[in-house]
Amino acid sequence: MQDFTASISQGFENGLSYSVSAQKRDADNYRDNNQSAYENALANLRYDFAKGFVFVEGQAIDDELNLAGYLLDSQAAIDPRKARTLKDYSNQETDLARVGGGVDITESWQLLAEYADRDEDTESYYGYGNPTLGNMHVKNATPRVIGNLATGNGNAVITLGYDLVEAEYEVPDWGTHIEQTIDAFYGQIVYPITKSLSVTAGLRQSSVEDTNHSINVKHDDDVTAGEFGLSYQLDNGWRLFGRYADGFRFANADENGFVLPGVEFLEVQTSSSAELGTEWRGEAASVQWALYRMELDNELMYDAAIPNSNSWNGFGANINLDSSRRQGVAIDSQLILSDEISLQANYTYTDAELTSGSFPGNSVPFVAENRANIAIVFTPIEPLNVYLDSSYTGSRYRTGDDANARDKVDSLVLFNLNLTWHYKGVEVSGRIKNLTDERYAGLYGVSPTAGYYQYPQPGRNYEAGITYRF
């Protein structure tokens, strides 16, 4: 892998400033037929004046990726670098333009707005016929006002806004042509009830209109989501907090363009979540823990192994999953032992359960009950920083095993080592990933047709880099 990045920025006394950056990254990657090539160029021009600012920005991205596909477990045991698909690829060229700014309406209120236009051309090949060409064109506008209101206990912050997204997705070879419009009104207030107690409340109302021109069908839906939170500062060290929030996501135009037979449009993904916890911060240590619970309905996911007669190879589609519930506890902590050594650690326990469909009460596939991370930061001398981290992922059922009838994937422990050395404007870094050379996969799945499959990940691998700032 070779990755080259350069950037330059400069500001002038008259309020003008600019920044330009470019990146080029080429990688063989771990698997056969998994090479990637990425180029990114970005330019930004900004003008700051007494009452606000304006900017204009342009970006061009060329992202090319060969697709190795999944391997059966038996194949991965022999050669994890092997590609199942020898010629498949997915390339994307993106042009993005943004313009926006902000202006002070009064001393307490500010108007902010951005407009973006993104045009994506795609070319993909999946081992059959000719390459498939597609286009995704997205325009969005995000005006909003932010105000500060003085109260006897501090400033209250109010945000009011409107979001508009218009998207058009076309794949001529598939006869796919979908248009989508999403708009949303929202508001939020953070209000200090007392010096120690503050409340956050928000509401968002959003609607979507989809038109599938290929089958001449229209669809519309709307969702209202709210949030409410409390934060109480007991003293300089302790804080109590609680929060309830609704969440949602409409399927994107391209997701609705690749669904199962009989499905015209995917359902909106919705969720409701709550958390309650405490936080303590001292001079040399901090710890935060929280109890959480989330109900998730119609989760959107791409399933590569699901039978689909609309697909060229008979598999793969965007789908809505059955309802599920996740609840547990999350703990995050930091400890400074000395000027040279500090520790960071977190742990999450998750009880994930299917709550609808054919297997209510079963565990959600590929969600581990136990996850943990720990890191040691060692600075023996000021220019040198050593960072050793380890991650633990507990056993879990494979993706697709809603029945919980197959063997679980074994738990996994990974170690990484990172060293960074600074001297004036020069930074030299080195990293060893998967220090103990574990053999593992980023995804383990099972399907009635493919059986046990996986996407193997690299063993021990190395990175080195140098940065010069002037």
Side-chain angles (χ1 to χ4, degrees), residues 344-424:
Q344 303 169 1
N346 63 69
Y347 167 76
T348 302
Y349 170 78
T350 303
D351 174 26
E353 182 180 301
L354 296 171
T355 55
S356 71
S358 302
F359 304 99
N362 282 12
S363 297
V364 177
F366 217 60
V367 177
E369 281 191 350
N370 298 287
R371 288 181 176 271
N373 295 274
I374 187 169
I376 301 174
V377 183
F378 179 46
T379 309
I381 55 176
E382 189 166 330
L384 178 64
N385 180 271
V386 181
Y387 187 93
L388 175 65
D389 67 271
S390 176
S391 63
Y392 169 81
T393 304
S395 61
R396 47 196 166 157
Y397 291 104
R398 290 171 174 259
T399 292
D401 187 14
D402 290 359
N404 295 173
R406 310 297 181 100
D407 293 336
K408 286 186 174 182
V409 177
D410 292 337
S411 58
L412 175 67
V413 178
L414 295 175
F415 291 89
N416 303 295
L417 177 64
N418 190 82
L419 293 90
T420 306
W421 180 75
H422 299 268
Y423 180 73
K424 295 183 178 180

Coordinates of all heavy atoms in Angstrom, one line a residue, residues 344-424:
Q344 N -6.2 3.4 28.8 CA -7.5 3.7 28.3 C -8.2 2.3 28.2 O -7.6 1.4 27.7 CB -7.5 4.4 27.0 CG -6.8 5.7 27.0 CD -6.5 6.3 25.6 OE1 -7.0 5.6 24.6 NE2 -5.9 7.4 25.5
A345 N -9.5 2.3 28.6 CA -10.2 1.0 28.5 C -11.7 1.2 28.4 O -12.2 2.2 28.9 CB -9.9 0.2 29.8
N346 N -12.4 0.3 27.7 CA -13.8 0.4 27.6 C -14.4 -1.1 27.5 O -13.7 -2.0 27.0 CB -14.3 1.3 26.4 CG -13.9 0.8 25.1 OD1 -14.3 -0.3 24.6 ND2 -13.0 1.5 24.4
Y347 N -15.6 -1.2 27.9 CA -16.2 -2.5 27.9 C -17.7 -2.3 27.6 O -18.3 -1.4 28.1 CB -16.1 -3.3 29.2 CG -17.0 -4.5 29.4 CD1 -16.7 -5.7 28.7 CD2 -18.1 -4.4 30.2 CE1 -17.5 -6.8 28.8 CE2 -19.0 -5.5 30.3 CZ -18.7 -6.7 29.6 OH -19.5 -7.7 29.7
T348 N -18.3 -3.2 26.8 CA -19.7 -3.1 26.4 C -20.3 -4.5 26.5 O -19.8 -5.5 25.9 CB -19.9 -2.6 25.0 OG1 -19.3 -1.3 24.9 CG2 -21.4 -2.5 24.7
Y349 N -21.4 -4.6 27.3 CA -22.2 -5.8 27.3 C -23.5 -5.6 26.5 O -24.2 -4.6 26.8 CB -22.5 -6.2 28.7 CG -23.5 -7.4 28.8 CD1 -23.2 -8.7 28.5 CD2 -24.9 -7.1 29.1 CE1 -24.1 -9.7 28.6 CE2 -25.8 -8.1 29.1 CZ -25.4 -9.4 28.8 OH -26.4 -10.4 28.9
T350 N -23.8 -6.4 25.6 CA -25.0 -6.2 24.8 C -25.8 -7.5 24.7 O -25.3 -8.6 24.4 CB -24.6 -5.9 23.3 OG1 -23.8 -4.7 23.3 CG2 -25.9 -5.7 22.5
D351 N -27.1 -7.4 25.2 CA -28.1 -8.4 25.0 C -28.9 -8.1 23.9 O -29.8 -7.2 23.9 CB -28.9 -8.5 26.3 CG -30.0 -9.5 26.2 OD1 -29.9 -10.5 25.4 OD2 -31.1 -9.4 26.9
A352 N -28.7 -8.8 22.7 CA -29.4 -8.5 21.5 C -30.3 -9.6 21.1 O -29.9 -10.8 21.0 CB -28.4 -8.3 20.3
E353 N -31.6 -9.3 21.0 CA -32.6 -10.3 20.8 C -33.6 -9.9 19.7 O -34.0 -8.8 19.5 CB -33.4 -10.4 22.1 CG -34.5 -11.5 22.1 CD -35.2 -11.5 23.4 OE1 -34.6 -11.8 24.5 OE2 -36.5 -11.3 23.5
L354 N -33.9 -10.9 18.8 CA -34.9 -10.7 17.8 C -36.3 -10.7 18.5 O -36.6 -11.5 19.4 CB -34.9 -11.9 16.8 CG -33.6 -12.1 16.0 CD1 -33.7 -13.4 15.2 CD2 -33.5 -10.9 15.0
T355 N -37.1 -9.7 18.0 CA -38.4 -9.6 18.7 C -39.6 -9.8 17.7 O -40.8 -9.6 18.1 CB -38.6 -8.2 19.3 OG1 -38.3 -7.2 18.3 CG2 -37.6 -8.0 20.5
S356 N -39.3 -10.1 16.5 CA -40.4 -10.5 15.5 C -39.9 -11.5 14.5 O -38.7 -11.9 14.6 CB -40.9 -9.2 14.9 OG -40.0 -8.7 13.9
G357 N -40.7 -11.8 13.6 CA -40.3 -12.8 12.5 C -40.5 -14.2 13.0 O -41.3 -14.5 13.9
S358 N -39.7 -15.1 12.4 CA -39.9 -16.5 12.7 C -39.2 -17.0 13.9 O -39.4 -18.1 14.4 CB -39.3 -17.3 11.5 OG -40.0 -17.0 10.3
F359 N -38.3 -16.2 14.5 CA -37.4 -16.6 15.6 C -37.4 -15.6 16.7 O -36.3 -15.2 17.2 CB -36.0 -16.9 15.1 CG -35.9 -17.9 14.0 CD1 -35.8 -17.5 12.7 CD2 -36.0 -19.3 14.3 CE1 -35.7 -18.4 11.7 CE2 -36.0 -20.2 13.2 CZ -35.8 -19.7 11.9
P360 N -38.6 -15.2 17.2 CA -38.6 -14.2 18.3 C -37.9 -14.8 19.6 O -38.1 -16.0 19.9 CB -40.0 -13.9 18.6 CG -40.8 -15.1 18.0 CD -39.9 -15.5 16.9
G361 N -37.1 -14.0 20.3 CA -36.4 -14.5 21.5 C -35.0 -15.0 21.2 O -34.2 -15.2 22.1
N362 N -34.7 -15.3 19.9 CA -33.3 -15.7 19.6 C -32.4 -14.5 19.6 O -32.8 -13.4 19.5 CB -33.3 -16.4 18.2 CG -33.8 -17.8 18.3 OD1 -34.4 -18.2 19.3 ND2 -33.6 -18.6 17.2
S363 N -31.1 -14.8 19.7 CA -30.0 -13.8 19.6 C -29.9 -13.2 18.2 O -30.1 -13.9 17.2 CB -28.7 -14.4 20.0 OG -28.7 -14.8 21.4
V364 N -29.7 -11.9 18.1 CA -29.4 -11.3 16.8 C -28.1 -11.8 16.3 O -27.1 -11.7 17.0 CB -29.4 -9.7 17.0 CG1 -29.0 -9.1 15.6 CG2 -30.7 -9.2 17.5
P365 N -28.0 -12.3 15.1 CA -26.8 -12.8 14.5 C -25.7 -11.8 14.5 O -26.0 -10.6 14.2 CB -27.2 -13.3 13.2 CG -28.6 -13.6 13.2 CD -29.2 -12.5 14.2
F366 N -24.5 -12.2 14.7 CA -23.2 -11.4 14.5 C -23.2 -10.2 15.5 O -22.5 -9.2 15.2 CB -23.0 -11.0 13.1 CG -21.6 -11.0 12.7 CD1 -20.9 -12.2 12.8 CD2 -20.9 -9.9 12.3 CE1 -19.5 -12.3 12.4 CE2 -19.5 -10.0 12.0 CZ -18.8 -11.2 12.0
V367 N -23.9 -10.3 16.6 CA -23.7 -9.3 17.7 C -23.2 -10.0 18.9 O -23.8 -10.9 19.4 CB -25.1 -8.6 18.0 CG1 -24.9 -7.7 19.2 CG2 -25.6 -7.9 16.8
A368 N -22.0 -9.6 19.3 CA -21.3 -10.3 20.4 C -21.8 -9.7 21.7 O -22.0 -8.5 21.8 CB -19.8 -10.0 20.3
E369 N -22.0 -10.5 22.7 CA -22.4 -10.1 24.0 C -21.4 -9.2 24.7 O -21.7 -8.2 25.3 CB -22.8 -11.2 25.0 CG -24.1 -11.9 24.7 CD -24.5 -12.9 25.8 OE1 -23.6 -13.2 26.7 OE2 -25.6 -13.3 25.9
N370 N -20.1 -9.6 24.5 CA -19.0 -8.9 25.2 C -18.0 -8.3 24.2 O -17.5 -9.0 23.3 CB -18.3 -9.9 26.2 CG -19.2 -10.4 27.2 OD1 -19.6 -9.7 28.2 ND2 -19.7 -11.7 27.1
R371 N -17.7 -7.1 24.4 CA -16.6 -6.4 23.7 C -15.8 -5.6 24.6 O -16.4 -4.9 25.5 CB -17.2 -5.5 22.6 CG -17.8 -6.2 21.4 CD -18.3 -5.2 20.3 NE -18.8 -5.9 19.2 CZ -18.1 -6.2 18.1 NH1 -16.8 -5.9 18.1 NH2 -18.6 -6.8 17.0
A372 N -14.5 -5.5 24.4 CA -13.7 -4.7 25.3 C -12.4 -4.3 24.5 O -12.0 -4.9 23.6 CB -13.2 -5.6 26.5
N373 N -11.9 -3.1 24.9 CA -10.7 -2.6 24.4 C -9.8 -2.0 25.5 O -10.4 -1.4 26.4 CB -11.0 -1.4 23.4 CG -11.7 -1.9 22.1 OD1 -11.1 -2.4 21.2 ND2 -13.0 -1.8 22.1
I374 N -8.6 -2.2 25.4 CA -7.6 -1.6 26.4 C -6.4 -1.1 25.6 O -6.0 -1.7 24.7 CB -7.3 -2.6 27.5 CG1 -6.4 -1.9 28.6 CG2 -6.5 -3.8 26.9 CD1 -6.3 -2.7 29.8
A375 N -5.9 0.0 26.1 CA -4.7 0.6 25.4 C -3.8 1.2 26.4 O -4.2 1.7 27.5 CB -5.1 1.7 24.4
I376 N -2.5 1.0 26.2 CA -1.4 1.6 27.0 C -0.7 2.6 26.2 O -0.2 2.3 25.1 CB -0.4 0.5 27.5 CG1 -1.2 -0.6 28.3 CG2 0.7 1.1 28.3 CD1 -0.3 -1.7 28.7
V377 N -0.6 3.8 26.7 CA 0.1 4.9 26.0 C 1.4 5.2 26.8 O 1.3 5.6 28.0 CB -0.8 6.2 25.9 CG1 0.0 7.3 25.1 CG2 -2.1 5.9 25.2
F378 N 2.5 5.0 26.1 CA 3.8 5.1 26.8 C 4.7 6.2 26.1 O 4.9 6.1 24.9 CB 4.5 3.8 26.8 CG 5.9 3.8 27.5 CD1 6.1 4.4 28.7 CD2 7.0 3.1 26.8 CE1 7.3 4.4 29.3 CE2 8.2 3.1 27.4 CZ 8.4 3.8 28.7
T379 N 5.1 7.2 26.9 CA 6.0 8.2 26.3 C 7.3 8.2 27.1 O 7.5 9.0 28.0 CB 5.3 9.6 26.4 OG1 4.0 9.5 25.8 CG2 6.1 10.6 25.6
P380 N 8.3 7.4 26.7 CA 9.5 7.3 27.4 C 10.3 8.6 27.4 O 11.0 9.0 28.3 CB 10.2 6.1 26.8 CG 9.6 6.0 25.4 CD 8.2 6.4 25.5
I381 N 10.3 9.2 26.2 CA 10.9 10.5 26.0 C 9.9 11.4 25.2 O 9.1 10.8 24.4 CB 12.3 10.5 25.3 CG1 12.2 9.7 24.0 CG2 13.3 9.8 26.2 CD1 13.5 9.7 23.2
E382 N 10.0 12.7 25.3 CA 8.9 13.5 24.8 C 8.7 13.3 23.3 O 7.6 13.3 22.8 CB 9.2 15.0 25.1 CG 8.0 15.9 24.7 CD 8.2 17.2 25.4 OE1 8.8 17.3 26.4 OE2 7.7 18.2 24.8
P383 N 9.7 13.2 22.4 CA 9.4 13.0 21.0 C 8.8 11.7 20.6 O 8.3 11.5 19.5 CB 10.8 13.2 20.3 CG 11.7 13.8 21.4 CD 11.2 13.3 22.7
L384 N 8.9 10.7 21.5 CA 8.5 9.3 21.1 C 7.2 8.9 21.9 O 7.1 9.1 23.1 CB 9.6 8.3 21.4 CG 9.3 6.8 21.2 CD1 9.1 6.6 19.7 CD2 10.4 5.9 21.7
N385 N 6.2 8.4 21.1 CA 5.0 7.9 21.7 C 4.8 6.5 21.2 O 4.8 6.2 20.0 CB 3.8 8.8 21.2 CG 2.5 8.4 21.8 OD1 1.8 7.6 21.2 ND2 2.1 9.0 22.9
V386 N 4.5 5.6 22.2 CA 4.2 4.2 21.9 C 2.8 3.9 22.4 O 2.4 4.2 23.5 CB 5.2 3.3 22.7 CG1 4.9 1.8 22.4 CG2 6.7 3.7 22.4
Y387 N 2.0 3.3 21.5 CA 0.6 3.1 21.7 C 0.4 1.6 21.4 O 0.4 1.1 20.3 CB -0.3 3.9 20.8 CG -1.7 3.9 21.1 CD1 -2.3 4.8 22.0 CD2 -2.5 2.9 20.5 CE1 -3.7 4.8 22.2 CE2 -3.9 2.9 20.7 CZ -4.5 3.8 21.6 OH -5.8 3.8 21.8
L388 N 0.1 0.8 22.5 CA -0.3 -0.6 22.3 C -1.7 -0.8 22.7 O -2.1 -0.5 23.8 CB 0.6 -1.5 23.2 CG 0.4 -3.0 23.3 CD1 0.6 -3.6 21.9 CD2 1.2 -3.6 24.4
D389 N -2.5 -1.4 21.8 CA -3.9 -1.6 22.1 C -4.3 -3.0 21.8 O -3.7 -3.7 20.9 CB -4.8 -0.6 21.3 CG -4.7 -0.9 19.8 OD1 -3.8 -0.3 19.1 OD2 -5.6 -1.6 19.3
S390 N -5.3 -3.4 22.5 CA -5.9 -4.8 22.3 C -7.4 -4.7 22.3 O -8.0 -4.0 23.1 CB -5.4 -5.7 23.4 OG -6.0 -7.0 23.3
S391 N -8.0 -5.5 21.4 CA -9.5 -5.5 21.3 C -10.0 -7.0 21.5 O -9.3 -7.9 21.0 CB -10.0 -5.0 20.0 OG -9.5 -5.7 18.9
Y392 N -11.1 -7.1 22.2 CA -11.7 -8.4 22.4 C -13.1 -8.4 21.9 O -13.9 -7.5 22.2 CB -11.7 -8.8 23.9 CG -12.5 -10.0 24.2 CD1 -12.0 -11.3 24.1 CD2 -13.8 -9.9 24.7 CE1 -12.8 -12.4 24.3 CE2 -14.6 -11.0 25.0 CZ -14.1 -12.3 24.8 OH -14.9 -13.4 25.1
T393 N -13.4 -9.4 21.1 CA -14.8 -9.6 20.6 C -15.2 -11.0 21.0 O -14.6 -12.0 20.6 CB -14.9 -9.4 19.1 OG1 -14.4 -8.1 18.7 CG2 -16.3 -9.5 18.6
G394 N -16.3 -11.1 21.7 CA -16.8 -12.4 22.2 C -17.4 -13.2 21.1 O -17.6 -12.8 19.9
S395 N -17.8 -14.4 21.4 CA -18.4 -15.3 20.4 C -19.7 -14.8 20.0 O -20.4 -14.1 20.7 CB -18.5 -16.8 21.0 OG -19.3 -16.7 22.1
R396 N -20.2 -15.2 18.8 CA -21.5 -14.7 18.3 C -21.9 -15.7 17.1 O -21.1 -16.4 16.5 CB -21.3 -13.3 17.8 CG -20.1 -13.1 16.9 CD -19.7 -11.7 16.7 NE -18.4 -11.6 16.1 CZ -18.0 -10.5 15.4 NH1 -18.8 -9.5 15.2 NH2 -16.7 -10.5 15.0
Y397 N -23.2 -15.6 16.9 CA -23.7 -16.4 15.8 C -23.4 -15.7 14.4 O -23.3 -14.5 14.3 CB -25.3 -16.6 15.9 CG -25.7 -17.5 17.0 CD1 -26.2 -16.9 18.2 CD2 -25.6 -18.8 16.9 CE1 -26.5 -17.7 19.3 CE2 -25.9 -19.7 18.0 CZ -26.4 -19.1 19.2 OH -26.8 -19.9 20.2
R398 N -23.3 -16.5 13.4 CA -23.0 -16.0 12.1 C -24.2 -15.2 11.5 O -25.4 -15.5 11.8 CB -22.7 -17.2 11.1 CG -21.4 -17.9 11.4 CD -21.3 -19.1 10.5 NE -20.0 -19.7 10.7 CZ -19.0 -19.6 9.8 NH1 -19.2 -18.9 8.7 NH2 -17.8 -20.2 10.0
T399 N -23.9 -14.3 10.6 CA -24.9 -13.6 9.9 C -25.8 -14.6 9.1 O -25.2 -15.5 8.4 CB -24.3 -12.6 8.9 OG1 -23.7 -11.5 9.7 CG2 -25.3 -11.9 8.0
G400 N -27.1 -14.4 9.2 CA -28.0 -15.4 8.5 C -28.5 -16.5 9.4 O -29.4 -17.2 9.0
D401 N -27.9 -16.7 10.6 CA -28.3 -17.7 11.5 C -29.3 -17.2 12.5 O -29.1 -17.2 13.7 CB -27.1 -18.3 12.2 CG -27.4 -19.6 13.0 OD1 -28.6 -20.1 12.8 OD2 -26.6 -20.0 13.8
D402 N -30.5 -16.8 12.0 CA -31.5 -16.3 12.9 C -32.0 -17.4 13.8 O -32.5 -17.1 14.9 CB -32.7 -15.7 12.1 CG -32.3 -14.4 11.4 OD1 -31.2 -13.9 11.6 OD2 -33.2 -13.8 10.7
A403 N -32.0 -18.6 13.3 CA -32.4 -19.8 14.1 C -31.5 -20.1 15.2 O -31.8 -20.9 16.1 CB -32.7 -21.0 13.2
N404 N -30.3 -19.5 15.2 CA -29.3 -19.9 16.2 C -29.0 -21.4 16.3 O -28.8 -22.0 17.3 CB -29.7 -19.4 17.6 CG -29.8 -17.9 17.8 OD1 -30.3 -17.4 18.8 ND2 -29.4 -17.1 16.8
A405 N -29.0 -22.0 15.1 CA -28.8 -23.4 15.0 C -27.4 -23.9 14.7 O -27.1 -25.1 14.8 CB -29.8 -24.0 13.9
R406 N -26.6 -22.9 14.3 CA -25.2 -23.3 13.9 C -24.2 -22.9 15.0 O -24.6 -22.2 16.0 CB -24.8 -22.6 12.6 CG -25.8 -22.7 11.5 CD -26.0 -24.1 11.0 NE -27.0 -24.1 9.9 CZ -26.6 -24.2 8.6 NH1 -25.4 -24.2 8.3 NH2 -27.6 -24.3 7.7
D407 N -23.0 -23.5 14.9 CA -22.0 -23.2 15.9 C -21.7 -21.7 15.8 O -21.7 -21.0 14.8 CB -20.7 -24.0 15.6 CG -20.9 -25.5 15.8 OD1 -21.8 -25.8 16.5 OD2 -20.2 -26.2 15.2
K408 N -21.3 -21.1 17.0 CA -20.9 -19.7 17.1 C -19.5 -19.5 16.5 O -18.7 -20.4 16.6 CB -21.0 -19.2 18.5 CG -22.4 -19.0 19.1 CD -22.3 -18.4 20.5 CE -23.6 -18.0 21.0 NZ -23.6 -17.4 22.3
V409 N -19.2 -18.3 16.1 CA -17.9 -17.9 15.7 C -17.1 -17.8 17.0 O -17.6 -17.2 18.0 CB -17.9 -16.6 14.9 CG1 -16.4 -16.2 14.6 CG2 -18.7 -16.8 13.7
D410 N -15.8 -18.3 17.1 CA -15.0 -18.1 18.3 C -14.7 -16.7 18.6 O -14.7 -15.8 17.8 CB -13.7 -18.9 18.1 CG -13.9 -20.4 18.0 OD1 -14.9 -20.9 18.5 OD2 -13.0 -21.1 17.4
S411 N -14.5 -16.4 19.9 CA -14.1 -15.1 20.3 C -12.7 -14.8 19.7 O -12.0 -15.6 19.3 CB -14.0 -15.0 21.9 OG -13.1 -16.0 22.4
L412 N -12.4 -13.5 19.7 CA -11.2 -13.0 19.0 C -10.5 -11.9 19.8 O -11.2 -11.0 20.4 CB -11.6 -12.4 17.6 CG -10.5 -11.8 16.8 CD1 -9.5 -12.9 16.4 CD2 -11.1 -11.1 15.6
V413 N -9.2 -12.0 19.9 CA -8.4 -11.0 20.6 C -7.3 -10.5 19.6 O -6.6 -11.4 19.0 CB -7.7 -11.5 21.8 CG1 -6.8 -10.5 22.5 CG2 -8.7 -12.0 22.9
L414 N -7.2 -9.2 19.3 CA -6.3 -8.7 18.4 C -5.4 -7.6 19.1 O -5.9 -6.9 20.1 CB -7.0 -8.0 17.3 CG -7.8 -8.8 16.3 CD1 -8.5 -8.0 15.3 CD2 -6.9 -9.9 15.6
F415 N -4.1 -7.6 18.7 CA -3.2 -6.6 19.3 C -2.6 -5.7 18.2 O -2.4 -6.3 17.1 CB -2.0 -7.3 20.0 CG -2.4 -8.0 21.3 CD1 -2.9 -9.3 21.3 CD2 -2.4 -7.3 22.5 CE1 -3.2 -9.9 22.4 CE2 -2.7 -7.9 23.7 CZ -3.2 -9.2 23.6
N416 N -2.4 -4.5 18.4 CA -1.8 -3.5 17.5 C -0.8 -2.7 18.2 O -1.0 -2.3 19.4 CB -2.9 -2.6 16.8 CG -4.0 -3.4 16.1 OD1 -3.8 -4.1 15.2 ND2 -5.2 -3.3 16.7
L417 N 0.3 -2.4 17.5 CA 1.3 -1.5 18.1 C 1.6 -0.4 17.2 O 1.8 -0.5 16.0 CB 2.6 -2.4 18.3 CG 3.8 -1.6 18.8 CD1 3.6 -1.1 20.2 CD2 5.1 -2.5 18.7
N418 N 1.6 0.9 17.8 CA 1.9 2.1 17.0 C 3.0 2.9 17.7 O 2.9 3.1 18.9 CB 0.6 2.9 16.9 CG 0.7 4.0 15.9 OD1 0.5 3.8 14.7 ND2 1.0 5.2 16.4
L419 N 3.9 3.4 16.9 CA 5.0 4.2 17.4 C 5.0 5.5 16.5 O 4.9 5.5 15.3 CB 6.4 3.5 17.3 CG 6.6 2.3 18.2 CD1 6.2 1.0 17.5 CD2 8.1 2.2 18.6
T420 N 5.2 6.6 17.2 CA 5.2 7.9 16.5 C 6.4 8.7 17.1 O 6.5 8.8 18.4 CB 3.9 8.7 16.7 OG1 2.8 7.9 16.3 CG2 3.9 10.0 15.9
W421 N 7.2 9.3 16.3 CA 8.3 10.1 16.7 C 8.3 11.5 16.0 O 8.1 11.6 14.8 CB 9.6 9.4 16.3 CG 10.9 10.2 16.7 CD1 11.4 10.3 17.9 CD2 11.7 10.9 15.8 NE1 12.6 11.0 17.9 CE2 12.8 11.4 16.6 CE3 11.8 11.1 14.4 CZ2 13.8 12.2 16.1 CZ3 12.8 11.9 13.9 CH2 13.8 12.4 14.7
H422 N 8.4 12.5 16.8 CA 8.3 13.9 16.4 C 9.6 14.6 16.5 O 10.3 14.5 17.5 CB 7.2 14.7 17.2 CG 5.8 14.2 17.1 ND1 4.9 14.6 16.2 CD2 5.2 13.2 17.9 CE1 3.8 13.9 16.4 NE2 3.9 13.1 17.4
Y423 N 9.9 15.4 15.5 CA 11.1 16.2 15.5 C 10.9 17.5 14.7 O 10.8 17.4 13.5 CB 12.4 15.5 15.1 CG 13.6 16.4 15.1 CD1 14.2 16.7 16.4 CD2 14.2 16.9 14.0 CE1 15.3 17.5 16.4 CE2 15.3 17.8 14.0 CZ 15.9 18.1 15.3 OH 16.9 18.9 15.3
K424 N 10.6 18.6 15.4 CA 10.3 19.8 14.7 C 9.1 19.6 13.8 O 8.0 19.2 14.3 CB 11.5 20.4 14.0 CG 12.7 20.8 14.9 CD 13.8 21.4 14.1 CE 14.9 21.8 15.1 NZ 16.1 22.4 14.4

